């Protein structure tokens, strides 16, 4: 029946991407932006948003050129060995990013809610739930975030509004004070956090035919929603703590929440409730990459034309790999290594790869299966 | 099952012998020989279940009237009267086989065999005894109709027809149960019901061979895809107006004989929150009531867990005076907070169960005795803290505000899951629990319709369904039927 066509709506795409983009960016970016460019971090956010927007435009052109999703295109046009190589790389990248997301998730929850609890327990629990969500397929995933969207948007803007009352205007500025190079570094970081945009290349498979343009427009709207939220949050963080203090904080947004006071409320602090925002946004990111990791791993062994069985085993395999990555980030401090990987390998490849795939595909024509 | 049937003979004695063999040792079945025709030369045999047919065979009943007519007819014309059904009554069904005639009698009507006539006739009389129409206790309405479904399927279909006097209303009859031969009716509007949904419903209803169907609940459990889900995938109602509304929405109502509970399908989360009153009252009132019910749904499931998370793990969110008063209230209570909440919740469920099982007045007494006296005594004896009593009472109040009993039960069960998660991992555990429930709901469907409609996939109906969700738009804005209806027949209200 109509509800089981494995297709999602444009509104669902928008809401999914909003969650995917604001999770890590609002947690990790503020202190790094303050480190690089102080108040000019606001400018870096806009420039980063513009770069991400250009990247999305480029991905939109690639989708128009491919006329299908990237995995189907790879299988149809590229040689098998190259297809497998690219699928393998993308799969591993998905594992890395999901692992990083899971690490940030468990770390934030441990820090904000359960300082005495074991990191591994929190990680295990959330990965089990994420695997359960992924097992429901793209439709189930989209539905979860379609329902949560309004609730979390209200919570987020309530938090930002309450925090805005405590802004010290002296902390904001001076502007255009940082070196342009540092502002650009901040922008690149913003762009790095918006790299989940790459996932848009997989989406044509989950959309009704002929809705690709609308889909890209919805993702662009989601991107600018995320830029707006990030801008607002950074502005409030600057006003609340000043860039000097911001640099030293691990997760400034979490600290901000513990400082929010609602006049005439019977509750003293809201941090436990507000952490729900990051609970769901980070979960969305883990979910996204766990989902694509599993899909890519499966495509590596079972091309799309053949009937595939044992989805659960691929999912389990990827979940274990994500778990291992998140453990390495926490216990071995591999997050620095991950950042280097993203800067020097992941990001350049994700920028160049779509274009290369299209060029090679166009030059070769359809491959016989 | 599968036994060869016996053709009815023109020899009455042969038919009587066969018939009596079928009902050996059945004291409740009355069988009588009689004589028909002007000269009383045509012998006949009448069989019926004792209480379903008036022993007086009054002229006012179809059976009495038929026998009176046949008693006056010339002997040689009896066969032609029977063949042409010229007795002046409508509810007569002829049977060719003895076994079919027996089955016909078991529906509550009388069976007539006539010597020299090779058919048996089923003639209606008063039928099986059944409860009268009364207002359903579990679905009270302030403004709507006071009628409720009864045990008789015929009465129930008539109650729907009474509200929908349209030639497009269809009642498709199936038989379920190889021993109970229960009639199951699918009521729908021909042009509104989605044919795919209709086909799927019939397929599922016929998917099992079962001994007996004594209530619609049996059909419900057999036809549910995700049988392990705590959430009902069929909506139930005892109100004919609610069922009629569902038919007008393009849904299918399934009625089972001997059950006053109708099944409505497909269904979704939002449908369980709506009541008939929502459409009879103004939109502000309906919207306010729905918002309250949504809050009730959340708190009936999450409040005890939230209490545990805050008091056991995240005390920093509470202001010091409140925290101290919580702490003081717990002084002397020997149990950990989690155990205290679980014990109180279980006690409450026990009281509720006792209240339901006991007769009316005693049930109410149990509520008062349990809620007030035992609760107060438990607090005085330092077994539980007053705050836990408040939490449990408020949770129960929320649970009672959910309009559908089966749906409310899902949250009562899930409450314990969230209590355990919160007692283990505080607010994180509560969020994980809520997320698991949400994921489960997102995967749940009722006959292909996502359970979370219209909060998801609202674009499929052009966002029209959202006007009748948490917010109920003014009636003149409710111009379209929900997504269940046939796509070509979505408009239900337009200006002339």
């Amino acid at each position: 029946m109509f509800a089981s066509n494995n297709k999602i709506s444009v509104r669902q795409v928008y809401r999914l991407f909003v969650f995917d983009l604001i999770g890590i960016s609002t947690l990790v970016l503020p202190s790094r932006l303050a480190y690089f460019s102080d108040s000019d971090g606001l400018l870096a956010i806009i420039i980063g948003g513009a770069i991400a927007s250009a990247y999305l435009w480029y991905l939109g052109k690639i989708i128009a050129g491919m006329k299908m999703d990237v995995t189907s295109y790879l299988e149809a046009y590229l040689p098998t060995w190259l297809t497998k190589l690219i699928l393998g790389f993308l799969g591993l990248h998905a594992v890395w990013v999901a692992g990083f997301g899971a690490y940030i998730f468990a770390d934030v929850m441990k820090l904000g809610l359960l300082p005495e609890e074991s990191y591994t327990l929190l990680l295990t629990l959330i990965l089990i739930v994420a695997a359960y969500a992924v097992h429901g397929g793209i439709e189930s995933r989209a539905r979860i975030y379609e329902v949560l969207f309004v609730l979390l948007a209200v919570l987020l803007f309530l938090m930002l509004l309450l925090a805005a009352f405590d802004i010290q205007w002296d902390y904001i500025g001076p502007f255009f004070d940082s070196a342009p190079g540092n502002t650009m570094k901040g922008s690149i970081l913003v762009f790095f956090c918006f790299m989940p945009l790459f996932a848009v290349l997989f989406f044509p498979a989950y959309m009704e035919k002929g809705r690709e343009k609308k889909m890209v427009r919805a993702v662009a709207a989601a991107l600018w929603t995320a830029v707006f939220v990030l801008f607002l949050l950074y502005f409030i963080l600057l006003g609340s703590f000043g860039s000097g203090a911001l640099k030293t904080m691990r997760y400034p947004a979490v600290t901000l929440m513990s400082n929010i006071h609602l006049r005439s409320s019977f509750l003293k602090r809201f941090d436990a409730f507000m952490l729900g925002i990051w609970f769901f946004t980070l979960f969305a990111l883990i979910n996204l990459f766990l989902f694509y990791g599993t899909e890519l791993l499966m495509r590596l062994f079972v091309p799309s034309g053949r009937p595939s069985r044992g989805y659960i085993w691929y999912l389990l395999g990827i979940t274990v790999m994500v778990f291992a990555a998140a453990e390495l980030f926490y216990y071995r401090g591999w997050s620095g290594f991950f950042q280097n990987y993203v800067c020097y390998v992941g990001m350049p490849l994700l920028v160049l790869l779509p274009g290369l795939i299209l060029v090679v595909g166009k030059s070769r024509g359809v491959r016989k299966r | 099952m599968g036994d060869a049937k016996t053709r009815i003979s023109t020899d009455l004695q042969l038919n009587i012998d066969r018939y009596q063999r079928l009902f050996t040792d059945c004291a409740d079945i009355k069988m009588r020989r009689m004589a028909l025709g002007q000269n009383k030369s045509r012998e006949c045999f009448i069989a019926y279940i004792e209480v379903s047919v008036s022993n007086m065979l009054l002229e006012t009943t179809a059976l009495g009237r038929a026998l009176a007519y046949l008693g006056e007819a010339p002997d040689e014309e009896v066969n032609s009267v029977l063949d042409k059904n010229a007795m002046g009554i409508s509810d007569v069904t002829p049977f060719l086989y003895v076994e079919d005639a027996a089955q016909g009698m078991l529906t509550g009507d009388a069976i007539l065999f006539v010597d020299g006539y090779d058919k048996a006739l089923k003639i209606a009389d008063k039928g099986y005894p059944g409860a009268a129409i009364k207002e359903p206790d579990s679905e009270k309405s302030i403004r709507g109709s006071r009628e409720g479904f009864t045990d008789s399927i015929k009465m129930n279909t008539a109650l729907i027809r009474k509200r929908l006097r349209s030639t497009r209303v269809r009642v498709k009859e199936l038989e379920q149960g190889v021993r109970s031969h229960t009639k199951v009716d699918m009521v729908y509007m021909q042009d509104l019901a989605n044919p795919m949904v209709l086909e799927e419903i019939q397929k599922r209803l016929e998917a099992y061979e079962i001994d007996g169907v004594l209530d619609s609940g049996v059909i419900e459990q057999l036809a549910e895809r995700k049988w392990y889900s705590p959430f009902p995938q069929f909506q139930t109602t005892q109100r004919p107006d609610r069922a009629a509304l569902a038919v007008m929405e393009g849904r299918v109502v399934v009625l089972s004989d001997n059950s006053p509970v109708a099944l409505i399908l497909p269904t979704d989360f939002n449908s369980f929150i709506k009541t008939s009153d929502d459409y009879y009252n103004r939109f502000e009132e309906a919207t306010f009531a729905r918002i309250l019910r949504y809050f009730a749904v959340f708190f009936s499931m999450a409040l005890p867990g939230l209490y545990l998370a805050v008091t056991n793990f995240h005390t920093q969110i509470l202001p010091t005076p409140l925290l101290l008063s919580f702490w003081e209230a717990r002084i002397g209570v020997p149990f950990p907070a989690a155990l205290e909440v679980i014990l109180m919740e279980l006690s409450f469920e026990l009281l509720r169960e006792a209240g339901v099982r006991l007769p009316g007045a005693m049930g109410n007494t149990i509520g008062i005795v349990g809620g007030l006296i035992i609760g107060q005594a438990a607090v005085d004896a330092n077994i539980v803290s007053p705050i836990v009593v408040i939490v449990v009472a408020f949770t129960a109040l929320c649970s009672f505000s959910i309009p559908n009993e089966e749906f409310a039960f899902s949250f009562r069960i899930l409450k314990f899951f969230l209590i355990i998660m919160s007692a283990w991992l505080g607010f994180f555990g509560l969020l994980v629990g809520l997320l698991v429930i949400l994921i489960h709901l997102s995967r749940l469907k009722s006959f292909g319709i996502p359970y979370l409609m219209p909060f998801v996939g609202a674009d499929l109906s052009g966002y029209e369904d959202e006007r009748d969700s948490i917010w109920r738009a003014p009636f003149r804005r409710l111009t379209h039927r929900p997504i269940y209806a046939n796509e070509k027949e979505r408009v239900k209200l337009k200006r002339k």
Side-chain angles (χ1 to χ4, degrees):
Chain A
M1 282 187 212
F2 72 87
S4 305
N5 57 6
N6 211 26
K7 304 278 181 223
I8 61 173
S9 69
V10 172
R11 185 169 85 166
Q12 286 174 330
V13 169
Y14 167 75
R15 293 186 175 188
L16 266 176
F17 269 92
V18 169
F19 276 101
D20 293 338
L21 297 177
I22 65 172
I24 283 197
S25 61
T26 49
L27 272 179
V28 173
L29 274 180
S31 56
R32 308 298 295 162
L33 283 176
Y35 177 76
F36 283 121
S37 37
D38 296 314
S39 292
D40 287 334
L42 290 169
L43 189 63
I45 291 171
I46 294 171
I47 297 172
I51 298 171
S53 210
Y55 178 59
L56 181 63
W57 173 82
Y58 158 71
L59 293 177
K61 291 286 167 198
I62 300 284
I63 290 169
M66 287 180 176
K67 297 186 178 67
M68 61 181 82
D69 67 286
V70 69
T71 43
S72 306
Y73 190 83
L74 282 170
E75 287 174 354
Y77 291 94
L78 267 68
T80 310
W81 68 269
L82 192 56
T83 301
K84 292 215 181 281
L85 191 72
I86 294 171
L87 288 178
F89 161 72
L90 291 176
L92 273 178
H93 179 78
V95 169
W96 271 118
V97 181
F100 187 69
Y103 152 67
I104 298 282
F105 182 99
D107 193 37
V108 167
M109 292 304 141
K110 181 174 162 58
L111 205 73
L113 293 175
L114 296 161
E116 307 290 316
E117 203 49 77
S118 146
Y119 164 86
T120 305
L121 173 73
L122 302 185
L123 180 67
T124 309
L125 209 58
I126 206 59
L127 284 179
I128 290 170
V129 179
Y132 175 50
V134 168
H135 189 250
I138 185 90
E139 283 180 307
S140 158
R141 230 166 63 76
R143 284 180 203 139
I144 297 166
Y145 289 101
E146 200 175 7
V147 171
L148 282 176
F149 183 81
V150 178
L151 194 71
L152 291 191
V154 168
L155 209 62
L156 183 68
F157 282 98
L158 185 73
M159 183 202 89
L160 293 176
L161 190 73
L162 293 175
F165 288 117
D166 296 328
I167 286 179
Q168 306 271 333
W169 291 93
D170 297 343
Y171 286 157
I172 296 171
F175 293 108
F176 307 109
D177 199 37
S178 310
N182 282 343
T183 306
M184 272 318 286
K185 278 183 188 165
S187 304
I188 298 296
L189 265 180
V190 173
F191 176 52
F192 152 71
C193 284
F194 290 152
M195 281 313 281
L197 286 173
F198 181 83
V200 78
L201 289 178
F202 299 108
F203 271 73
Y206 306 113
M207 302 290 300
E208 296 287 348
K209 278 273 172 229
R211 305 196 92 186
E212 290 84 1
K213 272 190 182 171
K214 277 189 177 174
M215 174 195 78
V216 175
R217 275 204 291 273
V219 179
L223 169 68
W224 284 103
T225 306
V227 169
F228 174 70
V229 169
L230 185 61
F231 185 90
L232 211 61
L233 179 72
Y234 190 67
F235 185 83
I236 291 168
L237 284 170
L238 267 182
S240 301
F241 303 117
S243 61
L246 211 53
K247 286 173 197 172
T248 60
M249 291 175 181
R250 198 160 161 199
Y251 301 119
V254 177
T255 315
L256 177 77
M257 285 180 299
S258 58
N259 290 355
I260 291 173
H261 300 287
L262 179 58
R263 288 175 185 90
S264 50
S265 159
F266 82 98
L267 292 177
K268 198 167 67 178
R269 280 167 59 168
F270 290 89
D271 46 350
F273 297 125
M274 296 297 184
L275 265 174
I277 299 168
W278 280 279
F279 179 94
F280 289 110
T281 52
L282 287 173
F283 181 78
L285 189 84
I286 302 168
N287 220 255
L288 173 81
F289 284 100
L290 202 60
F291 179 75
Y292 289 114
T294 312
E295 293 278 310
L296 290 165
L297 184 72
M298 211 167 71
R299 289 282 154 266
L300 200 58
F301 297 105
V302 191
S304 54
R306 288 190 219 154
S308 55
R309 282 192 198 132
Y311 182 82
I312 196 150
W313 296 110
Y314 292 106
L315 174 61
L316 206 64
I318 287 289
T319 310
V320 170
M321 285 158 80
V322 170
F323 173 81
E327 286 280 299
L328 288 172
F329 288 134
Y330 187 78
Y331 288 110
R332 297 286 172 95
W334 276 30
S335 52
F337 171 69
F338 172 74
Q339 279 166 32
N340 286 336
Y341 153 77
V342 172
C343 276
Y344 302 113
V345 184
M347 209 155 59
L349 266 177
L350 290 188
V351 172
L352 296 175
L353 208 54
L356 282 174
I357 293 170
L358 187 65
V359 169
V360 176
K362 291 279 176 201
S363 66
R364 282 175 56 87
V366 181
R367 172 158 59 99
K368 279 184 186 171
R369 295 205 175 169
Chain B
M1 284 189 297
D3 294 343
K5 288 181 178 177
T6 317
R7 188 76 162 77
I8 293 168
S9 159
T10 48
D11 181 348
L12 183 65
Q13 191 52 51
L14 210 60
N15 292 334
I16 292 173
D17 291 344
R18 286 171 187 159
Y19 205 80
Q20 282 177 336
R21 256 203 310 277
L22 284 176
F23 292 103
T24 314
D25 290 338
C26 294
D28 59 325
I29 311 280
K30 294 289 166 200
M31 299 181 195
R32 299 238 168 92
R33 274 170 180 268
M34 295 165 86
L36 297 177
Q38 274 174 347
N39 304 325
K40 307 294 174 210
S41 62
R42 294 291 298 272
E43 265 202 298
C44 77
F45 172 77
I46 187 164
Y48 55 89
I49 299 163
E50 196 165 14
V51 291
S52 69
V53 170
S54 164
N55 283 333
M56 306 290 289
L57 297 179
L58 297 171
E59 279 269 358
T60 49
T61 67
L63 181 62
R65 201 181 153 98
L67 292 176
Y69 190 93
L70 290 169
E72 297 299 318
D75 294 4
E76 62 282 3
E77 285 181 22
V78 168
N79 277 17
S80 106
V81 167
L82 294 173
D83 263 340
K84 291 176 185 162
N85 188 21
M87 297 172 286
I89 52 171
S90 58
D91 201 356
V92 177
T93 315
F95 292 111
L96 293 174
Y97 298 94
V98 175
E99 290 75 12
D100 289 347
Q103 204 56 57
M105 188 195 74
L106 292 173
T107 61
D109 296 331
I111 290 292
L112 179 72
F113 291 92
V114 180
D115 192 27
Y117 188 64
D118 62 353
K119 287 174 198 155
L121 297 176
K122 184 181 87 162
I123 304 171
D125 201 81
K126 63 178 185 176
Y128 283 118
I133 296 173
K134 57 175 187 173
E135 188 176 15
D137 286 334
S138 59
E139 276 180 279
K140 295 265 185 203
S141 161
I142 296 166
R143 191 159 176 172
S145 158
R146 297 285 182 268
E147 286 181 338
F149 282 132
T150 67
D151 287 351
S152 157
I153 192 166
K154 295 297 166 203
M155 184 81 87
N156 294 346
T157 45
L159 286 172
I160 296 177
R161 277 229 186 255
K162 183 181 155 192
R163 286 163 175 82
L164 302 173
R165 297 171 190 188
S166 164
T167 53
R168 293 168 188 168
V169 173
R170 296 282 178 268
V171 181
K172 200 169 191 173
E173 195 155 83
L174 309 170
E175 204 175 78
Q176 293 277 299
V178 288
R179 290 181 193 279
S180 67
H181 295 278
T182 310
K183 298 276 181 237
V184 175
D185 283 354
M186 287 165 59
V187 186
Y188 59 94
M189 194 75 85
Q190 188 192 21
D191 54 336
L192 299 185
N194 190 324
M196 280 165 70
V197 173
L198 213 55
E199 195 183 315
E200 177 70 15
I201 292 168
Q202 189 165 350
K203 206 167 84 186
R204 286 208 219 164
L205 289 180
E206 291 173 340
Y208 288 91
E209 189 176 287
I210 183 175
D211 253 10
V213 173
L214 300 183
D215 189 82
S216 55
V218 176
I219 302 172
E220 183 184 350
Q221 290 175 69
L222 287 177
E224 270 180 348
R225 273 275 154 82
K226 298 213 168 168
W227 49 267
Y228 50 84
S229 173
F231 293 97
Q233 290 139 63
F234 286 60
Q235 195 179 341
T236 54
T237 186
Q238 295 188 43
R239 296 183 62 88
D241 60 338
R242 190 76 202 267
L245 184 73
V247 171
M248 282 200 293
E249 284 177 343
R251 300 207 268 170
V252 181
V253 172
V254 175
L255 296 162
S256 165
D257 207 3
N258 307 313
S259 172
V261 180
L263 305 174
I264 300 175
L265 33 123
T267 192
D268 57 45
F269 191 96
N270 191 46
S271 296
F272 288 102
I273 306 290
K274 297 180 197 172
T275 64
S276 305
D277 273 349
D278 288 355
Y279 296 98
Y280 307 147
N281 290 324
R282 294 175 56 76
F283 79 99
E284 301 95 330
E285 196 178 336
T287 303
F288 180 69
R290 282 194 194 172
I291 292 170
L292 272 183
R293 285 184 221 128
Y294 269 95
F295 273 111
V297 162
F298 178 76
F299 285 117
S300 68
M301 171 177 64
L303 187 65
L306 202 60
Y307 164 76
L308 283 176
V310 170
T311 54
N312 282 6
F313 291 85
H314 315 295
T315 46
Q316 77 276 11
I317 72 167
L318 295 173
T320 317
L322 189 64
L323 187 64
L324 283 175
S325 93
F326 277 17
W327 177 75
E328 273 171 23
R330 290 214 73 244
I331 291 175
V333 177
F335 308 114
L339 188 63
E340 188 190 352
V341 169
I342 290 175
L343 282 178
M344 274 305 283
E345 285 290 354
L346 284 177
S347 311
F348 183 81
E349 293 296 333
L350 212 61
L351 280 172
R352 187 188 170 111
E353 195 61 21
V356 172
R357 304 282 159 245
L358 284 170
M362 274 178 82
N364 295 338
T365 317
I366 277 288
I368 297 164
V369 171
L372 292 177
I373 301 175
I374 298 180
Q376 187 57 45
V379 170
D380 289 345
N382 268 345
I383 295 171
V384 289
S385 61
I387 185 78
V388 168
V389 175
I390 295 170
V391 167
V392 171
F394 188 75
T395 309
L397 203 64
C398 290
S399 166
F400 290 132
S401 307
I402 302 171
N404 186 288
E405 175 60 24
E406 289 89 355
F407 193 57
F409 179 77
S410 322
F411 297 101
R412 276 163 55 203
I413 285 284
L414 290 170
K415 172 179 68 187
F416 289 99
F417 167 60
L418 292 182
I419 287 174
I420 293 167
M421 290 302 289
S422 305
W424 181 29
L425 292 168
F427 197 60
F428 177 80
L430 184 72
L431 286 176
V432 168
L434 288 173
L435 187 59
V436 169
I437 294 167
L438 184 61
I439 294 169
H440 174 71
L441 283 172
S442 76
R443 298 174 65 162
L444 208 56
K445 286 172 200 158
S446 172
F447 291 89
I449 304 287
Y451 206 66
L452 289 174
M453 284 288 289
F455 306 113
V456 301
D459 54 321
L460 293 170
S461 59
Y463 301 99
E464 290 289 343
D465 287 9
E466 283 188 339
R467 294 182 187 185
D468 192 15
S469 52
I470 296 182
W471 132 270
R472 206 222 79 191
F475 211 87
R476 58 185 64 193
R477 293 279 176 84
L478 295 176
T479 54
H480 286 70
R481 290 190 180 86
I483 191 131
Y484 323 113
N486 196 338
E487 209 173 340
K488 292 174 192 155
E489 295 288 343
R490 290 271 163 83
V491 177
K492 67 172 180 182
L493 175 73
K494 58 185 174 192
R495 211 174 261 281
K496 276 185 182 169

